[in-house]
Amino acid sequence: MVSNLAGGRSPRHGVEPGTQLGALEAYAAQAHGYLSAGGEQLSQLAGLLRPLVLESWLRSLRTGVDPMDVLSERGLRGADLQRYRDAHPMASLMPLIDKLLVQDAARTGLIVAIADQFGRVLSVYGKPEQVTAAAEIGLRAGDDLSERRVGTNAVGLVVRTGRAAWIHGPEHFLHRMHQITGAAAPVHDPDGRLVGVLVVAGGVRVAKPEILALVKATATAAEMDLLLNAMRSGRHGGHGRERPEPAAAAEARGLGLDVLGLGQPQLTIAGDRVPLSQRHAEILLLLAEHQEGLGADHLALLLDDTDLDNGTIRAAMSRLRSVVGPTVFGSRPYKLRVHVATDVEALRAALDSGDVDSALRLYAGPVLPRSTAPGIIDIRDELRVRLRTAVLGSRDAAVLRRWTAGAEGRDDAAAWAAYRATVDRDSPLYAQIEAKIRVLDRRLGADATRMQRFGS
């Protein structure tokens, strides 16, 4: 029972790696037992898991991740992976990462992996036998380690939160990952956007505090390298690449894309607004987000979890050309030849500048909320996490009031607590906020039960 472990206290939210590992393993193992039992037993999870791990488990349940999931062969492979990896901003950082992290870690039998901003693994380094063992549990180049795909893991948490994270053994949602520990840290570009993730993985040695400190220090050095490169080239923003030049054709001028909120996606062409189908909006947004271009196989993975063949992709791109014009994007890879201004880009710019009030005004709702495309879900989650983090960090009563009044924030217990901290204790509003927080606290166990029933 919980009371027999670590003095009866559950693991703390801010617990450092290397402490209470025996208790963490015992708690997490018991939590997996309750997870298997389902139903009302899920209310016990709150006393067994670190809060950030509990939140991740509940999200994993909600999105239908199976804890017993077996290794899938889906992923970015071969020439598509090589092209994507070579064009990715993390490629320029590899000499530095190799010097500061890979060489020493590999010599000691640990694994170093580099992932992109969405959690897809770009490269895995280490001794051949360790790399092979890591591949058998799903830590392979080309694989998607986002929380949406494989549940709770260190890379997925970094992508979700933008902060360094470590996950030990059975804290992983998937059983096949229980034999590893991962310590991961984010790499941000000069504008604060997530570029990639560094992770060291291995056995219990990875749970030592100095491993996480080493990963974070390497990530910080990588960020400084990106900043210096941007300053030398006179660029500041995005991923260090120039925006594509507008094409000469008239239809290639003045393109805008609105995808935030429940309304129909809209394309603006030279001042005229044109309704877009969801599939066309998904493709345009993905191309705008991947300025390096997307091969047909990679685009298919971002659009659908099932197998989309190249013929289907070609047909969709042909239909899109008839809407936006023949010169807006090229093929092999599919790549925008013009800049498409998106409301996602505008929202990011407001967040980058610290203008939380403007960001909230721009946020008409989630990115293409009806879309189930994996690449769109990743963008949607990234934006929501960034906006929520900015709102919570603002400590601005007006901002917090607007957030908690909206659909995204009305059940956000942390936001209500932050809002409460801005209100005078003698105010009637304080009592109203306190009552709302109590309701949300009581709802935790019930929500977990509902999520399990929905997932079953």
Side-chain angles (χ1 to χ4, degrees):
M1 297 297 292
V2 174
S3 60
N4 294 329
L5 295 169
R9 294 176 297 170
S10 61
R12 299 186 303 276
H13 175 72
V15 65
E16 288 295 321
T19 63
Q20 299 184 321
L21 288 185
L24 284 177
E25 292 169 4
Y27 285 130
Q30 191 173 357
H32 276 282
Y34 287 128
L35 188 63
S36 300
E40 294 181 359
Q41 296 296 317
L42 289 177
S43 63
Q44 303 296 321
L45 297 180
L48 297 169
L49 299 168
R50 291 186 283 155
L52 81 167
V53 176
L54 171 64
E55 292 167 6
S56 178
W57 275 38
L58 294 178
R59 287 192 300 267
S60 302
L61 280 170
R62 185 175 66 245
T63 53
V65 179
D66 181 359
M68 303 306 296
D69 177 51
V70 296
L71 190 61
S72 168
E73 289 305 313
R74 280 189 66 78
L76 201 59
R77 305 281 185 249
D80 272 339
L81 173 61
Q82 187 65 49
R83 281 193 297 270
Y84 180 58
R85 180 167 50 210
D86 291 347
H88 197 274
M90 294 297 289
S92 67
L93 300 172
M94 278 315 304
L96 176 68
I97 295 170
D98 181 72
K99 180 179 179 180
L100 297 180
L101 189 62
V102 172
Q103 293 179 13
D104 288 341
R107 277 198 296 268
T108 61
L110 298 176
I111 289 291
V112 174
I114 290 88
D116 70 5
Q117 66 271 35
F118 304 113
R120 187 172 299 281
V121 180
L122 299 173
S123 305
V124 180
Y125 302 93
K127 293 180 179 178
E129 58 271 27
Q130 271 77 37
V131 172
T132 299
E136 291 173 354
I137 63 165
L139 183 55
R140 299 177 294 186
D143 278 11
D144 183 354
L145 293 185
S146 66
E147 187 182 82
R148 172 190 55 79
R149 171 63 77 180
V150 299
T152 308
N153 70 94
V155 171
L157 272 175
V158 170
V159 170
R160 179 85 189 187
T161 67
R163 299 190 299 272
W166 66 284
I167 294 293
H168 177 59
E171 288 188 312
H172 288 91
F173 193 74
L174 293 189
H175 280 258
R176 58 178 161 90
M177 292 185 168
H178 284 190
Q179 300 307 309
I180 65 167
T181 298
V187 177
H188 297 94
D189 72 9
D191 288 334
R193 287 189 284 267
L194 184 67
V195 174
V197 182
L198 304 182
V199 61
V200 170
V204 70
R205 285 181 299 157
V206 178
K208 294 180 179 179
E210 53 265 33
I211 296 295
L212 182 60
L214 175 62
V215 180
K216 291 166 69 175
T218 305
T220 299
E223 290 175 345
M224 290 300 299
D225 200 51
L226 285 174
L227 178 60
L228 289 172
N229 288 338
M231 292 172 65
R232 290 190 195 104
S233 61
R235 296 188 300 254
H236 184 71
H239 289 158
R241 292 187 295 273
E242 300 286 359
R243 287 178 176 173
E245 290 297 324
E251 69 267 22
R253 303 177 193 271
L255 290 180
L257 179 64
D258 293 330
V259 293
L260 291 171
L262 290 169
Q264 184 172 23
Q266 299 281 328
L267 180 68
T268 302
I269 304 177
D272 295 326
R273 290 175 68 79
V274 179
L276 273 185
S277 71
Q278 179 159 279
R279 179 60 90 200
H280 286 166
E282 290 169 344
I283 292 171
L284 268 183
L285 181 59
L286 289 169
L287 291 178
E289 292 283 303
H290 293 266
Q291 294 181 22
E292 74 281 358
L294 292 169
D297 288 343
H298 191 188
L299 181 57
L301 280 172
L302 294 174
L303 287 172
D304 202 317
D305 278 337
T306 59
D307 291 324
L308 283 181
D309 58 43
N310 286 353
T312 302
I313 294 296
R314 284 195 298 271
M317 300 305 284
S318 177
R319 289 191 292 270
L320 180 57
R321 277 195 176 95
S322 70
V323 176
V324 301
T327 63
V328 168
F329 57 85
S331 55
R332 298 184 182 178
Y334 295 113
K335 183 176 182 178
L336 288 174
R337 291 172 174 159
V338 302
H339 177 236
V340 177
T342 71
D343 51 359
V344 167
E345 178 184 42
L347 175 58
R348 283 205 186 100
L351 290 170
D352 291 343
S353 67
D355 189 351
V356 185
D357 185 67
S358 293
L360 268 180
R361 294 181 190 281
L362 287 164
Y363 190 69
V367 176
L368 295 173
R370 298 183 183 92
S371 174
T372 58
I376 300 301
I377 292 172
D378 287 336
I379 298 168
R380 183 190 304 153
D381 288 348
E382 175 245 331
L383 273 182
R384 184 188 181 280
V385 168
R386 282 201 65 194
L387 180 60
R388 178 178 180 269
T389 300
V391 167
L392 293 180
S394 72
R395 300 180 182 178
D396 184 308
V399 165
L400 289 160
R401 181 176 64 251
R402 289 179 57 204
W403 176 255
T404 52
E408 297 275 335
R410 66 170 57 106
D411 291 330
D412 187 339
W416 280 102
Y419 186 17
R420 179 181 59 186
T422 68
V423 176
D424 192 300
R425 279 181 170 270
D426 297 327
S427 166
L429 180 58
Y430 188 93
Q432 294 173 21
I433 296 173
E434 183 71 24
K436 176 68 175 181
I437 291 172
R438 290 198 190 99
V439 169
L440 293 175
D441 286 344
R442 286 196 299 269
R443 215 180 271 173
L444 174 63
D447 281 347
T449 300
R450 281 197 296 272
M451 280 186 283
Q452 172 63 12
R453 288 172 180 165
F454 178 76
S456 62

